[in-house]
Each structure stands twice: as structure tokens, then as C-alpha cells.
Amino acid sequence: MAAGGYGRYRAVIFAAMFVGYTLYYFNRKTFSFVMPAVMAEVPLGKDDLGLITSSQSAAYAISKFISGVLSDQMSARWLFSSGLLMVGLVNVVFSWSSTVMAFAGLWFLNGLAQGLGWPPCGKILRKWFEPSQFGTWWAILSTSMNLAGGLGPIVAALVSMNYDWRKTLSFSGFTCVVVSFVCLVLVKNEPSDVGLPNIEQGAKKGKKGSSSDNSTLTELLLSPYLWVLSTGYLVVFGVKTCCTDWGQLFLIQERGQSMLVGSSYMSALEIGGLVGSIAAGYLSDRAVAKVGLSSYGNPRHALLLSMMAGMCVSMFLFRVTVTGDSPKENHFWTVALQPLADLTGLKEHELWILTLGAVFGFSSYGPIALFGVIANESAPANLCGTSHAIVALMANVGGFLAGLPFSTIAKHYSWATAFWVAEVTCIAGTVAFFFLRNIRTKMGRISRKAD
């Protein structure tokens, strides 16, 4: 009976958070989805676009850090629901605006509201699911971002065929407002809120004495692994944001591709990311189940490094092989993709661009899911929210660098040069993480016996 109660509540709570966070992410990217339509109505240069996107990234970084700390101190469901309400209201007001400063200011407020979304989700997942299931359900929930990112450009394009971008943002914002109240009713912080016993978050079998429940914030901050994770997450998230925010413009403005190809690339990237997130969570959970967690190294590192290497390769191919003459050139992949092109009706170069997008999405969203899981499980139980908040803060610094600084490089040089810089940064980050993969990964205080 108890198991049935857990299962029912888990299903309802997870579904509510999944729908809610899908709307969070969709409304975080609505400006990117309708950017071509906005630029056709309001004169916006590359600096203006960078200012708008960076203003959101800066606010999101600050807000997500504060939210992560607060999630250890107050109701997670109230944080989650109130943030979604604010996101909806900001999108509605954005649809009424027409100046660069108004856009940047409102998108800064959107970033502040966006930060209230994910930390409460992580806290609630840890309360409702067994430790052995944590990575998988974390990854599945994170696919809500891929669902929103994959369907978002298509939904926005279809809606814009009948309505302008202002009505698109208004409708999306009102939907957030309604769903925020639904989430407030359905989401519960922990099993004890509905009369069920709370799930024990003890140490793994065979690791008695390795728990660090009494660690202080200072001990957490002095853990080198916290900063290794933070730096790696900064690089991965920054490079991913470069491709999701600017990949479409790169294809259209410098590679002579159509808007449809640009939008399709974005969708393929998010669909690949959906698969990558689930694969990363499931496969890394199996690795942990086989060898367990120890104070040095982590079984998830091998998969993490493999996916980061995949990011480097796919970015290189995206920058080098996609050109304005792609339809005329006869590359090795033209022959390989010809049967699929005949089957789908798409051109070979279009399929190649979609393939690169899917591979990059698979390789980038997997590490994003893993960094969050590792930061949470490697931290003391009483500071897991703070640990994730710090790592996520550094990730969003990467997101900020992918905005105005990245567009400035593109302005003074080219989009190709800007993507080359992101590619080199990704390679350097992967190599550095490889050499540091076996350092002490248990953060905070650790007993001598466990050490």
C-alpha cells in the first residue's frame, strides 16, 4: 500500500514538474525562437542581441545560485511555482515592448525568475526518489529542456504563420501563469507532507562512515573537486549556449542556409540532447551500481569525458564542413546520406547539418545532466543544494560569456571565428578534466576511516 502511495505521488509530482519546467525553458528561449521576426520589426544589431541574451544569463546565474541555497531552507514547491508565475508575467509584458532597453530589462527579470526553477526540482527529486534512481530521474526531468528547445522553434514558426511574435509571447506567458497554480497544488516537498515516511538518503552499501552530513560551508568551499566541476560545467554550458543561441544565425548569415534549415538544426540539437540526457543518466547509474561511489574518482567520469570529446568533434565538423557551397560540393557524407535523402525528400547537405546538430545535442546535454548529478551526490547531504547552486552559478557564467562577449567576437571577426574560439575552449576543458578525473571527489569533511 505504501509503495503504491509512493508510486502515485511520484507520478503526479514528476509530471507536474516536467510540464512546469518545459514551460520554464520554452519561455527562457522565446526571444531566440522569434528572433528573426523581432529583427524584421525592430532594428537590432549584434551588440543589441548580445546585450539582451547576456542580461538574461547574468540574472539567471545570480538567481539560480540564490535559489539553490534557499531550496535548503524553504518550501521547494513555492519557489518553483512562484518562479513560473513570474516568468509568464514577464513574457506577457515583453510582448508589449519595442525598445532595446525594455527588451534587455525585461529579459533580465525573466532570468531572475528562471533561476527559481531547477534547484527546487533537484531538491524534490532527492526527497522522493531512491539514491540508486536519482541520476536517471534527474536526466529524464532535464529532457524537458530538450522537449521545449526541440519543439519550440517549430511551434513558434507555426504560430507565427497566423499570429505575430507578440501574440506568440503573450499566449506562452498566459500558459505559464495557469500552470504555475496547477504545480502549486500538485507538487509536494517530501513524502511526509502526504503522510508517507521520508526516504533515507544514507550512504551506499559498503561505504559506511563516508557520509559527511555535518560538513560546514567552509569545508565545502575548500574542496578542490567543487571547483573542478564548476570549471568543467562553465565550459560545457557556455559552449552549448553558443550553439543554441547563435547556431541558427551562423547558418543563415554566414553559411547561406535557409531559415528552415536553421530552425531544423536547432530542433535536431534539442532532440539529440533529449536522448543524450536520458542515456547519460541511465548509463552512469549502471556504472555506479557496478562499482559504487568512492572518495576518489567517480564512475560517471568515463561517460562524461566521452561526451565532452563528442562535443569537440561535432563542433569542428559543424564549423569546417558546412559552407555556403554545401549543396554543390561532393563530400564523403553526401554519398552516405543519399539513400536517406531519397527517402525523406531532404537534400544531403541538409541531413548532414541535422546530423551534426543531433550529435552535438547528444554530446552536450549528457554532460550537463551529469555535472548536476555529480555535484549533488558528491556533496554533504546538508549542503547538496548549495553545492549544486555553486556549480550552476559557474555554468551560467559560461552562459553569460556566450552572449555579448561571443557576439562581440563575431562582430569584429566572424561567426566562424567565434565558434572556433568556443571549439578550442571545449578541447582545453576536456583535456584538463581528463587529467584531474581521479582527484578526491568526496566534498566536505570525510572521516579518516573512510579516507
Side-chain angles (χ1 to χ4, degrees), residues 23 26-27 30-31 34 85 87-97 107 159 163-178:
L23 288 172
F26 180 86
N27 285 272
T30 42
F31 178 71
V34 301
L85 174 64
V87 167
L89 294 176
V90 168
N91 269 264
V92 172
V93 178
F94 190 95
S95 69
W96 302 339
S97 306
W107 230 227
V159 174
Y163 304 98
D164 61 14
W165 65 270
R166 297 181 184 276
K167 291 182 180 179
T168 301
L169 263 67
S170 294
F171 176 77
S172 179
F174 280 122
T175 303
C176 281
V177 172
V178 173

PDB file of all heavy atoms in Angstrom, residues 23 26-27 30-31 34 85 87-97 107 159 163-178:
ATOM      1  N   LEU A  23       7.759  24.508 -19.644  1.00  0.00           N
ATOM      2  CA  LEU A  23       7.325  25.885 -19.874  1.00  0.00           C
ATOM      3  C   LEU A  23       8.379  26.886 -19.408  1.00  0.00           C
ATOM      4  O   LEU A  23       8.566  27.940 -20.031  1.00  0.00           O
ATOM      5  CB  LEU A  23       5.998  26.131 -19.154  1.00  0.00           C
ATOM      6  CG  LEU A  23       4.788  25.436 -19.783  1.00  0.00           C
ATOM      7  CD1 LEU A  23       3.559  25.579 -18.892  1.00  0.00           C
ATOM      8  CD2 LEU A  23       4.495  26.001 -21.171  1.00  0.00           C
ATOM      9  N   PHE A  26      10.929  26.840 -22.282  1.00  0.00           N
ATOM     10  CA  PHE A  26      10.374  27.410 -23.508  1.00  0.00           C
ATOM     11  C   PHE A  26      10.339  28.929 -23.410  1.00  0.00           C
ATOM     12  O   PHE A  26      10.705  29.648 -24.352  1.00  0.00           O
ATOM     13  CB  PHE A  26       8.964  26.865 -23.761  1.00  0.00           C
ATOM     14  CG  PHE A  26       8.325  27.399 -25.005  1.00  0.00           C
ATOM     15  CD1 PHE A  26       8.558  26.802 -26.234  1.00  0.00           C
ATOM     16  CD2 PHE A  26       7.493  28.515 -24.965  1.00  0.00           C
ATOM     17  CE1 PHE A  26       7.981  27.298 -27.409  1.00  0.00           C
ATOM     18  CE2 PHE A  26       6.913  29.026 -26.121  1.00  0.00           C
ATOM     19  CZ  PHE A  26       7.155  28.410 -27.337  1.00  0.00           C
ATOM     20  N   ASN A  27       9.916  29.431 -22.254  1.00  0.00           N
ATOM     21  CA  ASN A  27       9.804  30.877 -22.077  1.00  0.00           C
ATOM     22  C   ASN A  27      11.142  31.535 -21.762  1.00  0.00           C
ATOM     23  O   ASN A  27      11.235  32.761 -21.742  1.00  0.00           O
ATOM     24  CB  ASN A  27       8.784  31.198 -20.990  1.00  0.00           C
ATOM     25  CG  ASN A  27       7.360  31.006 -21.461  1.00  0.00           C
ATOM     26  OD1 ASN A  27       6.742  31.899 -22.002  1.00  0.00           O
ATOM     27  ND2 ASN A  27       6.841  29.788 -21.278  1.00  0.00           N
ATOM     28  N   THR A  30      12.096  31.980 -25.695  1.00  0.00           N
ATOM     29  CA  THR A  30      11.132  32.521 -26.648  1.00  0.00           C
ATOM     30  C   THR A  30      11.737  33.628 -27.514  1.00  0.00           C
ATOM     31  O   THR A  30      11.433  33.736 -28.707  1.00  0.00           O
ATOM     32  CB  THR A  30       9.887  33.065 -25.913  1.00  0.00           C
ATOM     33  OG1 THR A  30      10.302  33.785 -24.741  1.00  0.00           O
ATOM     34  CG2 THR A  30       8.951  31.945 -25.521  1.00  0.00           C
ATOM     35  N   PHE A  31      12.607  34.449 -26.916  1.00  0.00           N
ATOM     36  CA  PHE A  31      13.234  35.504 -27.721  1.00  0.00           C
ATOM     37  C   PHE A  31      14.098  34.907 -28.824  1.00  0.00           C
ATOM     38  O   PHE A  31      14.084  35.388 -29.959  1.00  0.00           O
ATOM     39  CB  PHE A  31      14.073  36.430 -26.836  1.00  0.00           C
ATOM     40  CG  PHE A  31      14.776  37.509 -27.603  1.00  0.00           C
ATOM     41  CD1 PHE A  31      14.075  38.564 -28.156  1.00  0.00           C
ATOM     42  CD2 PHE A  31      16.159  37.466 -27.803  1.00  0.00           C
ATOM     43  CE1 PHE A  31      14.726  39.556 -28.881  1.00  0.00           C
ATOM     44  CE2 PHE A  31      16.808  38.446 -28.520  1.00  0.00           C
ATOM     45  CZ  PHE A  31      16.089  39.495 -29.065  1.00  0.00           C
ATOM     46  N   VAL A  34      11.818  33.558 -31.653  1.00  0.00           N
ATOM     47  CA  VAL A  34      11.174  34.562 -32.521  1.00  0.00           C
ATOM     48  C   VAL A  34      12.142  35.650 -32.954  1.00  0.00           C
ATOM     49  O   VAL A  34      11.719  36.675 -33.510  1.00  0.00           O
ATOM     50  CB  VAL A  34       9.957  35.197 -31.798  1.00  0.00           C
ATOM     51  CG1 VAL A  34       8.936  34.142 -31.433  1.00  0.00           C
ATOM     52  CG2 VAL A  34      10.397  35.972 -30.563  1.00  0.00           C
ATOM     53  N   LEU A  85       5.212  31.579 -12.317  1.00  0.00           N
ATOM     54  CA  LEU A  85       4.263  32.687 -12.424  1.00  0.00           C
ATOM     55  C   LEU A  85       4.964  33.956 -12.908  1.00  0.00           C
ATOM     56  O   LEU A  85       4.480  34.643 -13.822  1.00  0.00           O
ATOM     57  CB  LEU A  85       3.608  32.932 -11.066  1.00  0.00           C
ATOM     58  CG  LEU A  85       2.683  34.157 -10.958  1.00  0.00           C
ATOM     59  CD1 LEU A  85       1.474  33.989 -11.863  1.00  0.00           C
ATOM     60  CD2 LEU A  85       2.247  34.368  -9.509  1.00  0.00           C
ATOM     61  N   VAL A  87       7.784  34.189 -14.593  1.00  0.00           N
ATOM     62  CA  VAL A  87       8.230  34.009 -15.985  1.00  0.00           C
ATOM     63  C   VAL A  87       7.091  34.324 -16.954  1.00  0.00           C
ATOM     64  O   VAL A  87       7.279  35.008 -17.968  1.00  0.00           O
ATOM     65  CB  VAL A  87       8.735  32.563 -16.197  1.00  0.00           C
ATOM     66  CG1 VAL A  87       8.888  32.263 -17.687  1.00  0.00           C
ATOM     67  CG2 VAL A  87      10.065  32.358 -15.494  1.00  0.00           C
ATOM     68  N   GLY A  88       5.907  33.815 -16.648  1.00  0.00           N
ATOM     69  CA  GLY A  88       4.762  34.068 -17.512  1.00  0.00           C
ATOM     70  C   GLY A  88       4.420  35.542 -17.619  1.00  0.00           C
ATOM     71  O   GLY A  88       4.186  36.071 -18.720  1.00  0.00           O
ATOM     72  N   LEU A  89       4.422  36.240 -16.481  1.00  0.00           N
ATOM     73  CA  LEU A  89       4.082  37.663 -16.489  1.00  0.00           C
ATOM     74  C   LEU A  89       5.110  38.479 -17.270  1.00  0.00           C
ATOM     75  O   LEU A  89       4.751  39.405 -18.015  1.00  0.00           O
ATOM     76  CB  LEU A  89       3.988  38.171 -15.050  1.00  0.00           C
ATOM     77  CG  LEU A  89       2.842  37.589 -14.202  1.00  0.00           C
ATOM     78  CD1 LEU A  89       2.924  38.108 -12.768  1.00  0.00           C
ATOM     79  CD2 LEU A  89       1.482  37.924 -14.815  1.00  0.00           C
ATOM     80  N   VAL A  90       6.388  38.148 -17.127  1.00  0.00           N
ATOM     81  CA  VAL A  90       7.431  38.882 -17.850  1.00  0.00           C
ATOM     82  C   VAL A  90       7.283  38.693 -19.359  1.00  0.00           C
ATOM     83  O   VAL A  90       7.433  39.648 -20.136  1.00  0.00           O
ATOM     84  CB  VAL A  90       8.834  38.430 -17.388  1.00  0.00           C
ATOM     85  CG1 VAL A  90       9.909  38.970 -18.324  1.00  0.00           C
ATOM     86  CG2 VAL A  90       9.103  38.901 -15.966  1.00  0.00           C
ATOM     87  N   ASN A  91       6.972  37.486 -19.807  1.00  0.00           N
ATOM     88  CA  ASN A  91       6.809  37.249 -21.242  1.00  0.00           C
ATOM     89  C   ASN A  91       5.631  38.034 -21.811  1.00  0.00           C
ATOM     90  O   ASN A  91       5.691  38.521 -22.946  1.00  0.00           O
ATOM     91  CB  ASN A  91       6.638  35.758 -21.515  1.00  0.00           C
ATOM     92  CG  ASN A  91       7.954  35.050 -21.771  1.00  0.00           C
ATOM     93  OD1 ASN A  91       8.365  34.857 -22.898  1.00  0.00           O
ATOM     94  ND2 ASN A  91       8.634  34.676 -20.691  1.00  0.00           N
ATOM     95  N   VAL A  92       4.568  38.156 -21.025  1.00  0.00           N
ATOM     96  CA  VAL A  92       3.419  38.930 -21.486  1.00  0.00           C
ATOM     97  C   VAL A  92       3.812  40.399 -21.656  1.00  0.00           C
ATOM     98  O   VAL A  92       3.511  41.033 -22.683  1.00  0.00           O
ATOM     99  CB  VAL A  92       2.244  38.794 -20.497  1.00  0.00           C
ATOM    100  CG1 VAL A  92       1.123  39.762 -20.883  1.00  0.00           C
ATOM    101  CG2 VAL A  92       1.712  37.362 -20.490  1.00  0.00           C
ATOM    102  N   VAL A  93       4.495  40.959 -20.664  1.00  0.00           N
ATOM    103  CA  VAL A  93       4.904  42.363 -20.740  1.00  0.00           C
ATOM    104  C   VAL A  93       5.927  42.576 -21.860  1.00  0.00           C
ATOM    105  O   VAL A  93       5.918  43.606 -22.541  1.00  0.00           O
ATOM    106  CB  VAL A  93       5.488  42.828 -19.382  1.00  0.00           C
ATOM    107  CG1 VAL A  93       5.968  44.276 -19.467  1.00  0.00           C
ATOM    108  CG2 VAL A  93       4.440  42.695 -18.283  1.00  0.00           C
ATOM    109  N   PHE A  94       6.810  41.595 -22.089  1.00  0.00           N
ATOM    110  CA  PHE A  94       7.796  41.678 -23.171  1.00  0.00           C
ATOM    111  C   PHE A  94       7.096  41.847 -24.516  1.00  0.00           C
ATOM    112  O   PHE A  94       7.582  42.573 -25.397  1.00  0.00           O
ATOM    113  CB  PHE A  94       8.656  40.416 -23.177  1.00  0.00           C
ATOM    114  CG  PHE A  94       9.855  40.481 -24.084  1.00  0.00           C
ATOM    115  CD1 PHE A  94      11.097  40.855 -23.606  1.00  0.00           C
ATOM    116  CD2 PHE A  94       9.748  40.161 -25.437  1.00  0.00           C
ATOM    117  CE1 PHE A  94      12.215  40.917 -24.438  1.00  0.00           C
ATOM    118  CE2 PHE A  94      10.841  40.215 -26.283  1.00  0.00           C
ATOM    119  CZ  PHE A  94      12.080  40.594 -25.780  1.00  0.00           C
ATOM    120  N   SER A  95       5.962  41.180 -24.678  1.00  0.00           N
ATOM    121  CA  SER A  95       5.242  41.261 -25.952  1.00  0.00           C
ATOM    122  C   SER A  95       4.654  42.639 -26.202  1.00  0.00           C
ATOM    123  O   SER A  95       4.255  42.950 -27.326  1.00  0.00           O
ATOM    124  CB  SER A  95       4.120  40.209 -25.983  1.00  0.00           C
ATOM    125  OG  SER A  95       3.091  40.542 -25.055  1.00  0.00           O
ATOM    126  N   TRP A  96       4.609  43.482 -25.163  1.00  0.00           N
ATOM    127  CA  TRP A  96       4.101  44.838 -25.330  1.00  0.00           C
ATOM    128  C   TRP A  96       5.210  45.848 -25.611  1.00  0.00           C
ATOM    129  O   TRP A  96       4.930  47.030 -25.811  1.00  0.00           O
ATOM    130  CB  TRP A  96       3.367  45.285 -24.051  1.00  0.00           C
ATOM    131  CG  TRP A  96       2.219  44.407 -23.650  1.00  0.00           C
ATOM    132  CD1 TRP A  96       1.520  43.545 -24.446  1.00  0.00           C
ATOM    133  CD2 TRP A  96       1.641  44.299 -22.340  1.00  0.00           C
ATOM    134  NE1 TRP A  96       0.543  42.896 -23.724  1.00  0.00           N
ATOM    135  CE2 TRP A  96       0.588  43.339 -22.419  1.00  0.00           C
ATOM    136  CE3 TRP A  96       1.894  44.913 -21.120  1.00  0.00           C
ATOM    137  CZ2 TRP A  96      -0.187  42.984 -21.324  1.00  0.00           C
ATOM    138  CZ3 TRP A  96       1.118  44.559 -20.030  1.00  0.00           C
ATOM    139  CH2 TRP A  96       0.089  43.613 -20.130  1.00  0.00           C
ATOM    140  N   SER A  97       6.477  45.419 -25.615  1.00  0.00           N
ATOM    141  CA  SER A  97       7.617  46.329 -25.681  1.00  0.00           C
ATOM    142  C   SER A  97       8.191  46.419 -27.088  1.00  0.00           C
ATOM    143  O   SER A  97       7.959  45.543 -27.929  1.00  0.00           O
ATOM    144  CB  SER A  97       8.703  45.876 -24.703  1.00  0.00           C
ATOM    145  OG  SER A  97       8.165  45.728 -23.397  1.00  0.00           O
ATOM    146  N   TRP A 107      14.176  40.975 -20.063  1.00  0.00           N
ATOM    147  CA  TRP A 107      14.827  39.662 -20.153  1.00  0.00           C
ATOM    148  C   TRP A 107      15.736  39.415 -18.949  1.00  0.00           C
ATOM    149  O   TRP A 107      15.983  38.287 -18.577  1.00  0.00           O
ATOM    150  CB  TRP A 107      15.586  39.541 -21.470  1.00  0.00           C
ATOM    151  CG  TRP A 107      15.257  38.269 -22.204  1.00  0.00           C
ATOM    152  CD1 TRP A 107      16.142  37.411 -22.771  1.00  0.00           C
ATOM    153  CD2 TRP A 107      13.959  37.711 -22.445  1.00  0.00           C
ATOM    154  NE1 TRP A 107      15.477  36.352 -23.346  1.00  0.00           N
ATOM    155  CE2 TRP A 107      14.134  36.512 -23.156  1.00  0.00           C
ATOM    156  CE3 TRP A 107      12.665  38.111 -22.122  1.00  0.00           C
ATOM    157  CZ2 TRP A 107      13.074  35.707 -23.545  1.00  0.00           C
ATOM    158  CZ3 TRP A 107      11.596  37.309 -22.512  1.00  0.00           C
ATOM    159  CH2 TRP A 107      11.814  36.130 -23.207  1.00  0.00           C
ATOM    160  N   VAL A 159       2.998  29.091 -35.166  1.00  0.00           N
ATOM    161  CA  VAL A 159       2.128  30.141 -34.624  1.00  0.00           C
ATOM    162  C   VAL A 159       2.329  31.451 -35.370  1.00  0.00           C
ATOM    163  O   VAL A 159       1.374  32.193 -35.644  1.00  0.00           O
ATOM    164  CB  VAL A 159       2.403  30.327 -33.111  1.00  0.00           C
ATOM    165  CG1 VAL A 159       1.615  31.529 -32.568  1.00  0.00           C
ATOM    166  CG2 VAL A 159       2.018  29.075 -32.341  1.00  0.00           C
ATOM    167  N   TYR A 163      -0.105  34.318 -36.454  1.00  0.00           N
ATOM    168  CA  TYR A 163      -0.052  35.426 -35.497  1.00  0.00           C
ATOM    169  C   TYR A 163       1.363  35.999 -35.488  1.00  0.00           C
ATOM    170  O   TYR A 163       2.316  35.332 -35.863  1.00  0.00           O
ATOM    171  CB  TYR A 163      -0.417  34.945 -34.088  1.00  0.00           C
ATOM    172  CG  TYR A 163      -1.761  34.259 -34.001  1.00  0.00           C
ATOM    173  CD1 TYR A 163      -1.844  32.870 -34.014  1.00  0.00           C
ATOM    174  CD2 TYR A 163      -2.940  34.997 -33.910  1.00  0.00           C
ATOM    175  CE1 TYR A 163      -3.074  32.227 -33.942  1.00  0.00           C
ATOM    176  CE2 TYR A 163      -4.168  34.370 -33.837  1.00  0.00           C
ATOM    177  CZ  TYR A 163      -4.232  32.986 -33.853  1.00  0.00           C
ATOM    178  OH  TYR A 163      -5.445  32.357 -33.786  1.00  0.00           O
ATOM    179  N   ASP A 164       1.503  37.249 -35.019  1.00  0.00           N
ATOM    180  CA  ASP A 164       2.827  37.839 -34.947  1.00  0.00           C
ATOM    181  C   ASP A 164       3.543  37.385 -33.677  1.00  0.00           C
ATOM    182  O   ASP A 164       2.977  36.686 -32.839  1.00  0.00           O
ATOM    183  CB  ASP A 164       2.756  39.364 -35.027  1.00  0.00           C
ATOM    184  CG  ASP A 164       1.941  39.974 -33.877  1.00  0.00           C
ATOM    185  OD1 ASP A 164       1.667  39.266 -32.889  1.00  0.00           O
ATOM    186  OD2 ASP A 164       1.586  41.160 -33.975  1.00  0.00           O
ATOM    187  N   TRP A 165       4.813  37.807 -33.533  1.00  0.00           N
ATOM    188  CA  TRP A 165       5.615  37.338 -32.409  1.00  0.00           C
ATOM    189  C   TRP A 165       5.077  37.828 -31.074  1.00  0.00           C
ATOM    190  O   TRP A 165       5.258  37.167 -30.039  1.00  0.00           O
ATOM    191  CB  TRP A 165       7.067  37.767 -32.586  1.00  0.00           C
ATOM    192  CG  TRP A 165       7.318  39.250 -32.544  1.00  0.00           C
ATOM    193  CD1 TRP A 165       7.310  40.114 -33.606  1.00  0.00           C
ATOM    194  CD2 TRP A 165       7.595  40.048 -31.389  1.00  0.00           C
ATOM    195  NE1 TRP A 165       7.571  41.392 -33.194  1.00  0.00           N
ATOM    196  CE2 TRP A 165       7.765  41.387 -31.819  1.00  0.00           C
ATOM    197  CE3 TRP A 165       7.743  39.762 -30.037  1.00  0.00           C
ATOM    198  CZ2 TRP A 165       8.048  42.428 -30.949  1.00  0.00           C
ATOM    199  CZ3 TRP A 165       8.030  40.795 -29.157  1.00  0.00           C
ATOM    200  CH2 TRP A 165       8.181  42.113 -29.610  1.00  0.00           C
ATOM    201  N   ARG A 166       4.388  38.952 -31.077  1.00  0.00           N
ATOM    202  CA  ARG A 166       3.847  39.489 -29.831  1.00  0.00           C
ATOM    203  C   ARG A 166       2.744  38.584 -29.268  1.00  0.00           C
ATOM    204  O   ARG A 166       2.708  38.296 -28.062  1.00  0.00           O
ATOM    205  CB  ARG A 166       3.312  40.912 -30.052  1.00  0.00           C
ATOM    206  CG  ARG A 166       4.394  41.902 -30.476  1.00  0.00           C
ATOM    207  CD  ARG A 166       3.818  43.300 -30.660  1.00  0.00           C
ATOM    208  NE  ARG A 166       4.827  44.236 -31.156  1.00  0.00           N
ATOM    209  CZ  ARG A 166       5.689  44.878 -30.398  1.00  0.00           C
ATOM    210  NH1 ARG A 166       5.675  44.691 -29.089  1.00  0.00           N
ATOM    211  NH2 ARG A 166       6.573  45.712 -30.927  1.00  0.00           N
ATOM    212  N   LYS A 167       1.874  38.141 -30.127  1.00  0.00           N
ATOM    213  CA  LYS A 167       0.806  37.241 -29.673  1.00  0.00           C
ATOM    214  C   LYS A 167       1.376  35.889 -29.258  1.00  0.00           C
ATOM    215  O   LYS A 167       0.860  35.240 -28.341  1.00  0.00           O
ATOM    216  CB  LYS A 167      -0.240  37.079 -30.776  1.00  0.00           C
ATOM    217  CG  LYS A 167      -1.044  38.344 -31.034  1.00  0.00           C
ATOM    218  CD  LYS A 167      -2.102  38.123 -32.095  1.00  0.00           C
ATOM    219  CE  LYS A 167      -2.906  39.415 -32.326  1.00  0.00           C
ATOM    220  NZ  LYS A 167      -3.936  39.240 -33.389  1.00  0.00           N
ATOM    221  N   THR A 168       2.452  35.461 -29.927  1.00  0.00           N
ATOM    222  CA  THR A 168       3.099  34.201 -29.553  1.00  0.00           C
ATOM    223  C   THR A 168       3.615  34.265 -28.119  1.00  0.00           C
ATOM    224  O   THR A 168       3.388  33.345 -27.315  1.00  0.00           O
ATOM    225  CB  THR A 168       4.265  33.903 -30.514  1.00  0.00           C
ATOM    226  OG1 THR A 168       3.776  33.827 -31.856  1.00  0.00           O
ATOM    227  CG2 THR A 168       4.940  32.589 -30.141  1.00  0.00           C
ATOM    228  N   LEU A 169       4.305  35.354 -27.768  1.00  0.00           N
ATOM    229  CA  LEU A 169       4.830  35.502 -26.411  1.00  0.00           C
ATOM    230  C   LEU A 169       3.718  35.677 -25.392  1.00  0.00           C
ATOM    231  O   LEU A 169       3.809  35.165 -24.267  1.00  0.00           O
ATOM    232  CB  LEU A 169       5.797  36.691 -26.345  1.00  0.00           C
ATOM    233  CG  LEU A 169       7.286  36.333 -26.468  1.00  0.00           C
ATOM    234  CD1 LEU A 169       7.585  35.810 -27.864  1.00  0.00           C
ATOM    235  CD2 LEU A 169       8.169  37.541 -26.172  1.00  0.00           C
ATOM    236  N   SER A 170       2.653  36.388 -25.755  1.00  0.00           N
ATOM    237  CA  SER A 170       1.536  36.590 -24.828  1.00  0.00           C
ATOM    238  C   SER A 170       0.866  35.263 -24.490  1.00  0.00           C
ATOM    239  O   SER A 170       0.590  34.964 -23.318  1.00  0.00           O
ATOM    240  CB  SER A 170       0.508  37.555 -25.433  1.00  0.00           C
ATOM    241  OG  SER A 170       1.045  38.843 -25.574  1.00  0.00           O
ATOM    242  N   PHE A 171       0.603  34.458 -25.512  1.00  0.00           N
ATOM    243  CA  PHE A 171      -0.040  33.162 -25.285  1.00  0.00           C
ATOM    244  C   PHE A 171       0.836  32.262 -24.416  1.00  0.00           C
ATOM    245  O   PHE A 171       0.358  31.601 -23.487  1.00  0.00           O
ATOM    246  CB  PHE A 171      -0.328  32.483 -26.625  1.00  0.00           C
ATOM    247  CG  PHE A 171      -0.914  31.103 -26.484  1.00  0.00           C
ATOM    248  CD1 PHE A 171      -2.241  30.926 -26.143  1.00  0.00           C
ATOM    249  CD2 PHE A 171      -0.120  29.975 -26.682  1.00  0.00           C
ATOM    250  CE1 PHE A 171      -2.775  29.657 -26.002  1.00  0.00           C
ATOM    251  CE2 PHE A 171      -0.648  28.708 -26.543  1.00  0.00           C
ATOM    252  CZ  PHE A 171      -1.983  28.544 -26.209  1.00  0.00           C
ATOM    253  N   SER A 172       2.134  32.253 -24.716  1.00  0.00           N
ATOM    254  CA  SER A 172       3.062  31.434 -23.944  1.00  0.00           C
ATOM    255  C   SER A 172       3.117  31.889 -22.489  1.00  0.00           C
ATOM    256  O   SER A 172       3.142  31.074 -21.557  1.00  0.00           O
ATOM    257  CB  SER A 172       4.453  31.513 -24.574  1.00  0.00           C
ATOM    258  OG  SER A 172       5.387  30.754 -23.853  1.00  0.00           O
ATOM    259  N   GLY A 173       3.111  33.205 -22.270  1.00  0.00           N
ATOM    260  CA  GLY A 173       3.157  33.732 -20.909  1.00  0.00           C
ATOM    261  C   GLY A 173       1.915  33.399 -20.115  1.00  0.00           C
ATOM    262  O   GLY A 173       1.998  32.995 -18.942  1.00  0.00           O
ATOM    263  N   PHE A 174       0.741  33.538 -20.723  1.00  0.00           N
ATOM    264  CA  PHE A 174      -0.503  33.212 -20.026  1.00  0.00           C
ATOM    265  C   PHE A 174      -0.569  31.728 -19.664  1.00  0.00           C
ATOM    266  O   PHE A 174      -1.097  31.353 -18.610  1.00  0.00           O
ATOM    267  CB  PHE A 174      -1.710  33.604 -20.879  1.00  0.00           C
ATOM    268  CG  PHE A 174      -2.053  35.060 -20.829  1.00  0.00           C
ATOM    269  CD1 PHE A 174      -2.092  35.821 -21.987  1.00  0.00           C
ATOM    270  CD2 PHE A 174      -2.323  35.688 -19.612  1.00  0.00           C
ATOM    271  CE1 PHE A 174      -2.398  37.177 -21.933  1.00  0.00           C
ATOM    272  CE2 PHE A 174      -2.630  37.041 -19.556  1.00  0.00           C
ATOM    273  CZ  PHE A 174      -2.668  37.790 -20.725  1.00  0.00           C
ATOM    274  N   THR A 175      -0.023  30.874 -20.533  1.00  0.00           N
ATOM    275  CA  THR A 175       0.010  29.444 -20.234  1.00  0.00           C
ATOM    276  C   THR A 175       0.835  29.176 -18.976  1.00  0.00           C
ATOM    277  O   THR A 175       0.459  28.364 -18.120  1.00  0.00           O
ATOM    278  CB  THR A 175       0.600  28.664 -21.422  1.00  0.00           C
ATOM    279  OG1 THR A 175      -0.170  28.927 -22.600  1.00  0.00           O
ATOM    280  CG2 THR A 175       0.581  27.162 -21.146  1.00  0.00           C
ATOM    281  N   CYS A 176       1.970  29.866 -18.842  1.00  0.00           N
ATOM    282  CA  CYS A 176       2.809  29.726 -17.648  1.00  0.00           C
ATOM    283  C   CYS A 176       2.054  30.114 -16.382  1.00  0.00           C
ATOM    284  O   CYS A 176       2.155  29.450 -15.345  1.00  0.00           O
ATOM    285  CB  CYS A 176       4.056  30.603 -17.759  1.00  0.00           C
ATOM    286  SG  CYS A 176       5.350  29.911 -18.776  1.00  0.00           S
ATOM    287  N   VAL A 177       1.307  31.194 -16.454  1.00  0.00           N
ATOM    288  CA  VAL A 177       0.569  31.670 -15.286  1.00  0.00           C
ATOM    289  C   VAL A 177      -0.421  30.606 -14.811  1.00  0.00           C
ATOM    290  O   VAL A 177      -0.515  30.308 -13.608  1.00  0.00           O
ATOM    291  CB  VAL A 177      -0.167  32.986 -15.614  1.00  0.00           C
ATOM    292  CG1 VAL A 177      -1.100  33.376 -14.476  1.00  0.00           C
ATOM    293  CG2 VAL A 177       0.836  34.102 -15.879  1.00  0.00           C
ATOM    294  N   VAL A 178      -1.147  30.009 -15.737  1.00  0.00           N
ATOM    295  CA  VAL A 178      -2.141  28.995 -15.375  1.00  0.00           C
ATOM    296  C   VAL A 178      -1.466  27.758 -14.774  1.00  0.00           C
ATOM    297  O   VAL A 178      -1.872  27.248 -13.718  1.00  0.00           O
ATOM    298  CB  VAL A 178      -2.979  28.601 -16.612  1.00  0.00           C
ATOM    299  CG1 VAL A 178      -3.898  27.429 -16.287  1.00  0.00           C
ATOM    300  CG2 VAL A 178      -3.796  29.789 -17.095  1.00  0.00           C
TER     301      VAL A 178
END
